[in-house]
Amino acid sequence: MSALRRIPGWGYAAVTRWFAAGALAALLAADLAVSSLHPWADLQRLLGGLIHPDLLAVDIWSVVYTVAFAILGVTAGAGAGFVLAIPFARIRGVRLVCAGLRSVHELFWALLLMQVLGLSALTGILAIALPYAGICAKVYSEIMEEADLSALRVLPEGTGALSAFAYGRLPDVAAAFRHYTLYRFECAMRSTLVLGFIGLPTMGFYLESAFRQGRYAEAGALLLVFYALIGSRRLWMRLSTLPLLLIVSVLALPRTVGTTHWLSSLDRFVTHDIVPSPLRSGALLDPATWSRLGLWFQPILTQQILPGAVQTLVLAQIALVATALGALLLFPLASRRFAGPIGQPFGRVLLVIVRSTPEYMLAYVLLQLLGPSMLPAILALTIHNAGIVGYLMGRHADDLAYRADAPTGLNLYSYETVPRLYGQFLAYLLYRWELILRESAIFGILGVATLGFYVDAAISELRLDVAVLLIVATAVLTMLVDALSRALRRSLRLTDLPIRLSAPRHGSAATPPLRAACS
């Protein structure tokens, strides 16, 4: 990765050209067919459900479970992330563990945990907590590294490491920790909703059922209730209300469905189910055992891992560039300078709704409208991520200081605003790259031939050793893309911009904009 720094002329334009060329090449390998016979009629029925929602059909317990799983999952994940963040910068092993945790999507964690815990509340909580622990550890560590260290220098000589952290560093970062953690609840509610698509009793379970059976009025009501939850999060999710919400969430958890003998299930899972089948009965010192392992691994590599990885990269590359185009078109809607004092609030509400809709759910809906292909997944990733990046770019545009004789209209957009924001724009896209790839993998569960397609097939056939190997391959691919993204950000010196990516807005303790994009 360090070679990137030695490439002459490696700047914004070069990165843009390479990514655009990659997307054009990926388009040649992508399946973009529309196989639905009446997509517009299905879309009309869906919109009719949103206009005339059947609110009485909404199961209130599904709403409660969605919130409860999110609250308990984030609390557990943030707590573990806080502990891991302290040694994160110093210990490479901790960074690798956290990278592995956050590189596996919540759906994959849930599919594995179901083999041990069944369709239980603990499955939903841990599926959120495990990746969020890795995410929070990374972000908390970055916050601590960027904090003012002047308080440490005035502590008495001989102060212990724990006391120095508690009195010298924690007070400076506590506000940023609090704001970021509260924001993670919004991300967790999206993740929890998606877990319903594999059977957990959240709103997603009823939403999937309503779409599958054509009950669009009920589906529309569920969507509107979910948007209301997201939109009102700041009203009911506060630090002062968190203890009460935690108690209510624990009391409201659904009963366990499936096995209650989780210790024996865990023992079998670790010692038998995920062990490659050639190693279960063969002696480890016997060369024939390793020969059988090679014969077992070769078709998985050539027929599943490699084609699945290629399709995952194809989908992610197209979606990333489409996200860039969408964000450039959408960000003026969230900027007062372009949309005006009346249009800006409506534009921001629109982008908040767009970014609040989980990609997986969008892809599921679009699959019903357009038929099975890569196109619904591309559109879902583009809509969601363009909403996120466009919203953040619109906020940055309002912070720019324009000259009194600045142009207006298209000239202001093309020659004044976009050039000044382009560094931030690339930073957001490179930051989303890993996340887009992570989401691309799970779309295989919906039938798109990414790595998740093979993971879902292996789990359905109870070949858990193959499923775990495929999930590990997905995590490795995600970590490689993350490493390349970080190398590009360093090469482009995006952290040296006049407006730091981690700087609070207007001197507040608000969540850093880059990290606010649901990392």
Side-chain angles (χ1 to χ4, degrees), residues 171-433:
D172 286 329
V173 299
F177 279 13
R178 181 174 65 253
H179 284 280
Y180 179 76
T181 305
L182 291 176
Y183 181 79
R184 292 290 333 161
F185 284 106
E186 177 182 331
C187 305
M189 281 193 290
R190 289 201 289 271
S191 300
T192 305
L193 181 140
V194 169
L195 293 180
F197 282 75
I198 60 171
L200 289 170
T202 66
M203 295 174 68
F205 177 82
Y206 295 91
L207 192 61
E208 191 268 344
S209 176
F211 276 124
R212 189 177 63 250
Q213 299 177 28
R215 303 195 308 269
Y216 291 110
E218 180 182 343
L222 285 163
L223 286 174
L224 291 176
V225 170
F226 181 72
Y227 292 141
L229 280 176
I230 296 292
S232 62
R233 174 185 61 86
R234 294 179 183 274
L235 299 177
W236 54 267
M237 173 49 66
R238 300 170 178 267
L239 194 63
S240 58
T241 62
L242 184 57
L244 176 61
L245 290 172
L246 282 171
I247 295 172
V248 173
S249 296
V250 171
L251 295 176
L253 287 177
R255 293 182 179 179
T256 297
V257 178
T259 180
T260 56
H261 305 290
W262 65 271
L263 280 176
S264 58
S265 298
L266 178 62
D267 179 68
R268 177 179 174 81
F269 181 78
V270 173
T271 62
H272 181 270
D273 292 346
I274 66 173
V275 176
S277 56
L279 300 181
R280 293 173 187 168
S281 56
L284 294 181
L285 298 180
D286 185 357
T289 300
W290 296 98
S291 177
R292 291 195 298 271
L293 181 65
L295 293 175
W296 172 83
F297 176 72
Q298 183 179 1
I300 298 173
L301 176 65
T302 58
Q303 299 173 23
Q304 299 184 47
I305 293 177
L306 292 180
V310 169
Q311 291 299 308
T312 301
L313 289 169
V314 164
L315 174 55
Q317 188 64 29
I318 297 173
L320 181 67
V321 174
T323 293
L325 297 174
L328 289 174
L329 291 174
L330 290 175
F331 88 79
L333 297 178
S335 171
R336 185 183 181 92
R337 186 81 183 194
F338 292 96
I342 298 177
Q344 182 203 35
F346 291 100
R348 289 197 172 185
V349 168
L350 173 64
L351 295 188
V352 166
I353 292 174
V354 168
R355 77 176 193 182
S356 298
T357 306
E359 302 101 307
Y360 188 89
M361 192 198 75
L362 267 175
Y364 179 86
V365 173
L366 290 170
L367 275 169
Q368 315 306 310
L369 300 178
L370 303 176
S373 74
M374 199 174 282
L375 182 60
I378 292 171
L379 290 175
L381 286 167
T382 300
I383 292 169
H384 176 81
N385 289 284
I388 290 174
V389 178
Y391 181 85
L392 297 172
M393 292 292 292
R395 291 173 58 184
H396 279 298
D398 283 342
D399 286 341
L400 293 178
Y402 292 100
R403 305 187 316 270
D405 61 343
T408 59
L410 186 59
N411 287 333
L412 178 69
Y413 174 88
S414 302
Y415 299 109
E416 184 78 13
T417 305
V418 171
R420 295 172 66 183
L421 293 179
Y422 205 73
Q424 296 280 15
F425 171 68
L426 286 179
Y428 287 132
L429 289 178
L430 290 173
Y431 197 81
R432 297 298 306 175
W433 191 13

